[in-house]
Amino acid sequence: MGKTANTSVRDLLFGDLWDYAPAPESRDHLTIHERYGHFIDGKFVEGEDHFPSINPATEEQLFEVASADEATVDLAVKAARKAYDKVWGKMPGSERAKYLYRIARMIQEKARALAVAESLDGGKPIKESRDVDIPLAAAHFFYYAGWADKLEYALPGASPSPIGVAGQIIPWNFPLLMAAWKIAPALAAGNTIVIKPAETTPLTAMMLAEIIQEADLPPGVVNIVNGAGQTGAAIVNHPDIDKIAFTGSTDVGKIIQRALAGSRKKLTLELGGKGANIIFDDASLDQAVEGIINGIFFNQGHVCCAGSRLLVQENIADELMHKLRHRVSTLIVGDPLDKNTDVGAINSREQLLRIQELVAAGKDEGAQIFQPSSPLPEKGFFFKPTVFTEVTPSHRIAREEIFGPVLSVLTFRTPEEAIEKANNTPYGLACGVWTDKGSRLFRVANALKCGIVWGNTYNRFDPTSPFGGYKESGFGREGGLHGLLPYLEVR
Ligand code: NDP
C-alpha cells in the first residue's frame, strides 16, 4: 500500500513506481496477404473495388480488401441456398457437430496468429485478443457443437427445424468473436450463412474462412463477403435470405428494421448501450475500482455493454474518485502488440473523431474532465482514458453512446435514485451492481431495465449465458440455449 497526498485514503500500488520494458508480441508467425476478396461456395474469389485496411496504431496500410456489390452478394446467397437445400439442412446434427468441433479446435491451434491479427487490424491490446477474444470464439464453437445433436432435447416437444439462409452483419469491436457468436449457433441449428465483417476489421474473418476451408466444411455453408454498409444493405434486402442477425449501431439497426418491416424475414438486433455501473457504499472499493476500469477501458471502451455511466453513492464519491483517478493514471496506453498495454488504439479515424466530438461536448456542457498526464504515441489513433465528473443526466456524455475510453460519473443517495438514474436511458443492454449485500443486489438487479446485470463484476462473457438487450439496445439473444432460438423454426 502506498500513501498519497490525500492522507485519509491509502492507494494500492499498480507498478506505477517503475517503468515496464517493452514486451512486443512477434508478428512473424502471421501471414497477411496483400489483397483479400470474398469466400463464396468454399472458394476464395478475387472481388473488386478494393479499399485499404489500416493498422489503427500506425496508420499504415495492412492490406486491401474487396467490396461486394449486389451481384456478388447474390452469388453468396445462391451458394448458401444450394448448400442448405442439398447438404447442410439435411445433415444429421451429430455430423454437423463434428465440423463445429473441428473449427473450434483449429481456432485454438491458430490462436496466436489470430490474436496478433486481431490486434493489428483492430487496435485492441494483445492481452485482450489473446486472453478474451480468441479463446471465447473457440468456446462458442465448442458450446454450440454440443447442441447440434440435442435440439429436440433443448426444446422438448417443439420439433425444431432450421430456418434456411441467415444473413449476418457484424461490427468492428470484437471481429472474430462476433463472427463466432453469429456463425456457431446458426450452423448448429442447421442453417447456412452469408456474413459480412465490418469494413475496418475483415482480417480474422478471412483467416476463419481459411480454417473453414481446411476443416472441409461443405462448400456454401459459410460464405463471407467483404464490404461497407452497401454490402450489408444488399444482404438485408436480398429476397432469398430467411433471417437477418445484426450487431452494430442503433441507427443502422433502425434502418434494417424498417427495411424488413412487412417481409417474412426474421430479425435479431444487438445494438448500442449506455450501461450503468452502480457502486453502493458497502461495496469493496478496491475491487469496484477494478470493475469500473474493466467496465469502461476494456477494448478502449468499444463495447456495446460498456459500463460507461458510473453511478456512485454520494457518501463514498470522494474516496472512490480518488482511487479511480490514481488507477486510471497507471493504465498503459500504446502499442496494441505490447503485452503490457492496457488501452490500445481507437479502431478508426472516424471513431476517434466521434469520441473527440463528444468529449468536447462534455467540456462545453460544464463537466469536469480528468485525463492522465502521460503522453500518447505520436502516430496512430489513440485517446487518453478519460473520466468526467460533475455530469448531469441531461449532458450528452450521459445520454449518448461514446464507444470510447470515456467514463461519465454521476452520484446518487438512495437505491431508488440509483435505479431511476440507471434506467433513464433509451438503451437497455447491461448494468453492474456493486454491494456487499446480496438482498440489495437482487432487488436492484430486478428493477434495472437491461438485458444483463453483473453483480460485483463486469464484462464477464460465457457462451452458456444469453446476451442481449431491450428498448433501443435491440431484441433477441445470443449465447446459451436462448441463442439457438433465433435460428430455429419451432412448431
Ligand atoms: P454500424 O452500425 O454502421 O456498423 C455495424 C455493421 O453494419 C458494419 O458491418 C457496417 O458496415 C454495417 N452497416 C452499415 N450500414 C449498414 C446498412 N445500411 N445496412 C446493413 N449494414 C450496414 O456502426 P459504425 O461502425 O458506423 O459505428 C458507429 C457507432 O455505432 C459507434 O460509434 C458506436 O456507438 C456504435 N456501435 C455499436 C456497436 C455495438 O456492438 N452495439 C458496434 C459498432 C458500433 P461497415 O463496417 O462498412 O460500416
Side-chain angles (χ1 to χ4, degrees):
M1 301 262 267
K3 276 237 163 190
T4 66
N6 181 344
T7 48
S8 62
V9 181
R10 291 165 74 83
D11 294 316
L12 301 179
L13 291 180
F14 293 99
D16 39 326
L17 297 182
W18 58 85
D19 287 330
Y20 285 85
E25 173 66 75
S26 161
R27 46 186 285 190
D28 295 350
H29 47 282
L30 174 68
T31 309
I32 302 182
H33 303 300
E34 267 177 40
R35 273 189 154 191
Y36 288 91
H38 316 289
F39 180 67
I40 297 176
D41 209 10
K43 293 184 278 293
F44 287 92
V45 298
E46 173 73 3
E48 48 196 17
D49 293 335
H50 291 79
F51 59 91
S53 190
I54 305 293
N55 175 348
T58 61
E59 300 176 53
E60 285 160 8
Q61 179 174 325
L62 279 172
F63 53 88
E64 281 189 329
V65 63
S67 180
D69 57 14
E70 284 180 14
T72 305
V73 169
D74 186 50
L75 283 179
V77 176
K78 286 200 166 92
R81 175 62 60 192
K82 191 174 81 191
Y84 177 73
D85 288 342
K86 298 209 179 313
V87 190
W88 197 252
K90 296 178 181 164
M91 191 183 277
S94 55
E95 291 302 308
R96 293 200 304 272
K98 289 180 192 168
Y99 288 103
L100 289 170
Y101 279 124
R102 204 177 292 167
I103 293 169
R105 283 195 300 271
M106 289 171 75
I107 291 174
Q108 287 184 321
E109 281 160 21
K110 296 175 198 286
R112 195 157 164 228
L114 286 165
V116 173
E118 206 69 303
S119 288
L120 273 175
D121 201 21
K124 64 174 67 198
I126 186 73
K127 67 179 177 192
E128 291 179 9
S129 351
R130 182 195 60 197
D131 298 346
V132 182
D133 291 64
I134 310 303
L136 265 180
H140 271 80
F141 278 99
F142 276 122
Y143 174 73
Y144 281 109
W147 274 122
D149 62 346
K150 301 177 194 69
L151 300 176
E152 311 254 311
Y153 302 97
L155 304 158
S159 313
S161 58
I163 287 173
V165 177
Q168 306 179 324
I169 298 159
I170 54 173
W172 40 261
N173 51 347
F174 294 92
L176 186 70
L177 184 57
M178 287 301 106
W181 277 28
K182 297 264 180 294
I183 294 174
L187 293 189
N191 304 274
T192 58
I193 290 166
V194 176
I195 185 167
K196 186 194 93 64
E199 64 185 290
T200 59
T201 53
L203 184 54
T204 47
M206 294 322 281
M207 292 169 73
L208 181 63
E210 289 166 6
I211 289 174
I212 284 169
Q213 199 178 45
E214 217 180 303
D216 223 9
L217 194 74
V221 173
V222 173
N223 304 276
I224 304 178
V225 289
N226 284 305
Q230 307 92 288
T231 307
I235 296 175
V236 169
N237 295 319
H238 195 289
D240 202 26
I241 292 269
D242 299 303
K243 186 232 155 37
I244 292 290
F246 172 79
T247 298
S249 61
T250 295
D251 287 346
V252 173
K254 286 179 182 174
I255 294 172
I256 292 175
Q257 203 170 9
R258 275 195 289 273
L260 296 193
S263 80
R264 64 176 176 85
K265 292 176 196 167
K266 291 180 186 294
L267 175 64
T268 43
L269 295 174
E270 203 271 272
L271 309 175
K274 192 72 187 173
N277 210 354
I278 306 170
I279 321 290
F280 284 100
D281 60 3
D282 60 345
S284 159
L285 292 196
D286 291 319
Q287 196 184 333
V289 166
E290 290 312 298
I292 297 163
I293 295 281
N294 178 31
I296 186 61
F297 300 123
F298 172 63
N299 199 25
Q300 296 74 245
H302 301 329
V303 184
C304 47
C305 53
S308 52
R309 285 181 302 151
L310 180 65
L311 300 186
V312 189
Q313 199 151 15
E314 199 177 83
N315 54 333
I316 54 157
D318 285 349
E319 184 178 355
L320 186 82
M321 291 319 297
H322 172 86
K323 283 176 179 284
L324 184 62
R325 286 192 197 100
H326 172 69
R327 181 68 178 100
V328 171
S329 303
T330 68
L331 293 174
I332 299 173
V333 184
D335 179 7
L337 282 190
D338 191 310
K339 290 166 208 155
N340 294 320
T341 294
D342 297 307
V343 180
I346 300 302
N347 183 265
S348 65
R349 188 184 297 284
E350 290 69 37
Q351 190 58 27
L352 180 61
L353 291 173
R354 178 169 162 76
I355 296 167
Q356 287 167 339
E357 195 239 321
L358 278 160
V359 166
K363 286 198 236 172
D364 288 349
E365 288 182 328
Q368 292 299 310
I369 187 168
F370 170 81
Q371 291 177 320
S373 54
S374 41
L376 292 177
E378 279 170 16
K379 279 202 102 178
F381 313 136
F382 289 92
F383 197 81
K384 286 189 179 187
T386 301
V387 178
F388 273 112
T389 47
E390 293 175 43
V391 179
T392 70
S394 64
H395 285 161
R396 280 184 72 195
I397 53 169
R399 292 185 288 118
E400 295 181 31
E401 185 177 46
I402 302 174
F403 226 61
V406 183
L407 181 67
S408 303
V409 185
L410 299 100
T411 57
F412 67 88
R413 289 187 183 166
T414 62
E416 287 65 36
E417 188 185 349
I419 292 164
E420 200 168 318
K421 282 187 167 160
N423 287 339
N424 182 16
T425 166
Y427 295 110
L429 191 53
C431 289
V433 181
W434 297 77
T435 170
D436 196 35
K437 219 170 172 195
S439 56
R440 174 182 281 166
L441 205 161
F442 284 110
R443 189 170 83 76
V444 174
N446 279 326
L448 291 171
K449 293 197 173 70
C450 50
I452 304 122
V453 183
W454 283 291
N456 292 324
T457 187
Y458 208 92
N459 273 341
R460 292 267 166 197
F461 304 100
D462 189 286
T464 65
S465 177
F467 182 98
Y470 57 109
K471 300 203 284 184
E472 293 207 5
S473 293
F475 48 80
R477 294 291 176 265
E478 295 185 303
L481 173 57
H482 301 66
L484 284 170
L485 295 177
Y487 293 101
L488 288 170
E489 207 74 72
V490 178
R491 281 182 292 274

